């Protein structure tokens, strides 16, 4: 073994939350066996534990056979902004602050960003204990390309706002990961069919790492029909990116624009509609059919 190899186990065993440091810690998505040793140590040694749900973090600690010795305070979406200065002051005083959410990684569609921003702006140290994340677990299980992806979090609840977001993503080439509530899954999938087409590949991942974990793969059209019977549990949706389209020649672009005009669109709107199609550069359309 190298000298570094000899030191690693000893260093790990002695690890504790550093004084005056903000620590983000990933927590299990549902299977307590996914908790890391450093999470256990952090829960036991942090001066302040800022939790999305104080009852859940105490239950998690009990399940892990850990006693939280520090001060526990709530840190959920509605109080995140007002709590951040208080946590920064604790850090300035030399206290260690641990941030945990109900499941997964803080600041990834969960509270955490504001206190990280405040600590960074104050020049205070911030570190992270890697752990479970529904985003990467679902991506790995989806069967879709994972070399490049984007995370969009929860889509807007209002149909119009959701449709606008998905329209913006229609030409996205990377695999997309979104979160959704179970009672809105069908509506979300229907909106995706409208924006991306029924043949776009996707996967609905539910109850990840839990007893009833399920990954349903297929086209968006197939997944809509499957979801109509009702879907339960925590949902992560993974959608394939848009396929590259071959660039159209000028004559074909003109034909498409004229087709839109014949359907009732203004020339300006027709050019914009054709330019919005995958693989069609706007400049090319404008040059082929100048706006008047």
């Amino acid at each position: 073994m190298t000298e570094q190899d000899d030191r690693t186990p000893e260093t790990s065993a002695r690890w504790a939350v550093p004084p005056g440091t903000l620590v983000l810690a990933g927590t299990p998505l549902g299977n307590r066996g996914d908790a890391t040793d450093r999470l256990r140590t952090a829960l036991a040694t942090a001066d302040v534990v800022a939790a999305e749900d104080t009852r859940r973090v105490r239950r998690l600690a009990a399940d892990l056979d850990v006693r939280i010795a520090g001060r526990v305070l709530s840190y959920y979406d509605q109080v995140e902004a007002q709590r951040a200065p208080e946590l920064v002051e604790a850090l300035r005083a030399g206290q260690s602050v641990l941030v945990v959410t109900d499941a997964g990684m803080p600041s990834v569609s969960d509270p955490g960003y504001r206190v990280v921003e405040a600590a960074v702006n104050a020049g205070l140290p911030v570190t992270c204990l890697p752990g479970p994340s529904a985003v990467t677990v679902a991506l790995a299980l989806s069967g879709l390309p994972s070399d490049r992806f984007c995370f969009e979090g929860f889509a807007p609840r209002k149909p119009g706002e959701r449709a606008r977001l998905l329209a913006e993503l229609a030409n996205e080439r990377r695999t997309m990961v979104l979160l959704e509530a179970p009672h809105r899954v069908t509506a979300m999938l229907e909106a995706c069919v409208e924006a991306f087409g029924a043949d776009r590949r996707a996967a609905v991942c539910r109850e990840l790492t839990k007893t009833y974990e399920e990954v349903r793969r297929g086209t968006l059209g197939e997944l809509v029909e499957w979801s109509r019977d009702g879907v339960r549990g925590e949902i992560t949706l993974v959608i394939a990116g848009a396929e590259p389209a071959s660039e159209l020649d000028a004559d074909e672009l003109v034909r498409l624009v004229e087709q839109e005009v014949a359907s009732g669109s203004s020339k300006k709107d027709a050019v914009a509609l054709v330019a919005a199609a995958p693989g069609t550069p706007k400049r090319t359309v404008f040059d082929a059919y100048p706006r008047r």
Side-chain angles (χ1 to χ4, degrees):
M1 294 177 68
T2 66
E3 183 180 358
Q4 180 61 42
D5 291 331
D6 289 336
R7 286 200 306 265
T8 300
E10 183 182 1
T11 302
S12 176
R14 288 204 312 262
W15 185 86
V17 180
T21 299
L22 177 67
V23 181
L24 306 180
T27 54
L29 301 178
N31 190 323
R32 296 293 190 257
D34 293 333
T36 66
D37 287 340
R38 291 214 295 166
L39 173 61
R40 290 181 171 86
T41 301
L43 288 169
T45 63
D47 296 309
V48 179
V49 177
E52 185 176 12
D53 186 320
T54 58
R55 292 168 298 179
R56 287 198 181 190
V57 76
R58 292 187 188 281
R59 185 162 63 246
L60 172 63
D63 289 346
L64 299 178
D65 196 25
V66 170
R67 186 178 71 86
I68 298 177
R71 178 164 56 103
V72 179
L73 54 82
S74 58
Y75 189 69
Y76 52 94
D77 288 332
Q78 289 73 18
V79 302
E80 185 177 8
Q82 68 190 62
R83 284 284 195 199
E86 178 183 348
L87 296 177
V88 168
E89 287 307 308
L91 293 169
R92 290 186 191 277
Q95 295 183 314
S96 55
V97 176
L98 174 69
V99 176
V100 293
T101 56
D102 293 346
M105 183 58 63
S107 79
V108 181
S109 280
D110 276 331
Y113 163 73
R114 291 184 184 278
V115 70
V116 171
E117 180 186 38
V120 169
N121 289 340
L124 298 167
V126 181
T127 190
C128 180
L129 307 186
S133 170
V135 176
T136 51
V137 172
L139 181 67
L141 293 177
S142 69
L144 298 172
S146 57
D147 53 334
R148 299 178 68 236
F149 73 96
C150 63
F151 175 57
E152 291 294 329
F154 284 94
R157 296 183 182 186
K158 295 182 178 179
E161 295 177 4
R162 179 175 57 208
R164 282 191 288 275
L165 170 67
L166 296 177
E168 292 173 2
L169 295 173
N171 297 336
E172 174 59 63
R173 298 279 297 278
R174 296 169 295 179
T175 298
M176 296 166 280
V177 184
L178 300 98
L179 305 177
E180 191 51 274
H183 62 280
R184 292 196 296 267
V185 168
T186 298
M188 176 63 174
L189 290 170
E190 289 174 341
C192 288
V193 167
E194 184 69 22
F196 307 143
D199 293 332
R200 182 79 69 92
R201 292 186 300 151
V204 177
C205 306
R206 56 178 295 271
E207 294 293 270
L208 291 172
T209 78
K210 301 176 185 177
T211 302
Y212 298 105
E213 175 181 286
E214 179 182 15
V215 180
R216 196 80 178 194
R217 306 174 183 88
T219 66
L220 286 171
E222 291 168 342
L223 292 173
V224 167
E225 294 305 315
W226 163 78
S227 71
R228 294 194 193 283
D229 291 332
V231 181
R232 295 182 179 181
E234 301 290 334
I235 304 297
T236 307
L237 179 62
V238 187
I239 304 171
E243 293 289 340
S246 56
E247 188 172 324
L248 302 174
D249 61 30
D251 290 340
E252 179 65 12
L253 291 174
V254 170
R255 187 191 69 78
L256 291 173
V257 172
E258 291 177 342
Q259 181 177 302
E260 293 291 344
V261 171
S263 299
S265 298
S266 68
K267 292 178 180 179
K268 178 181 178 180
D269 289 343
V271 168
L273 285 169
V274 173
T280 309
K282 288 184 179 181
R283 186 72 264 162
T284 303
V285 182
F286 294 156
D287 290 344
Y289 200 101
R291 289 179 290 179
R292 296 177 175 85

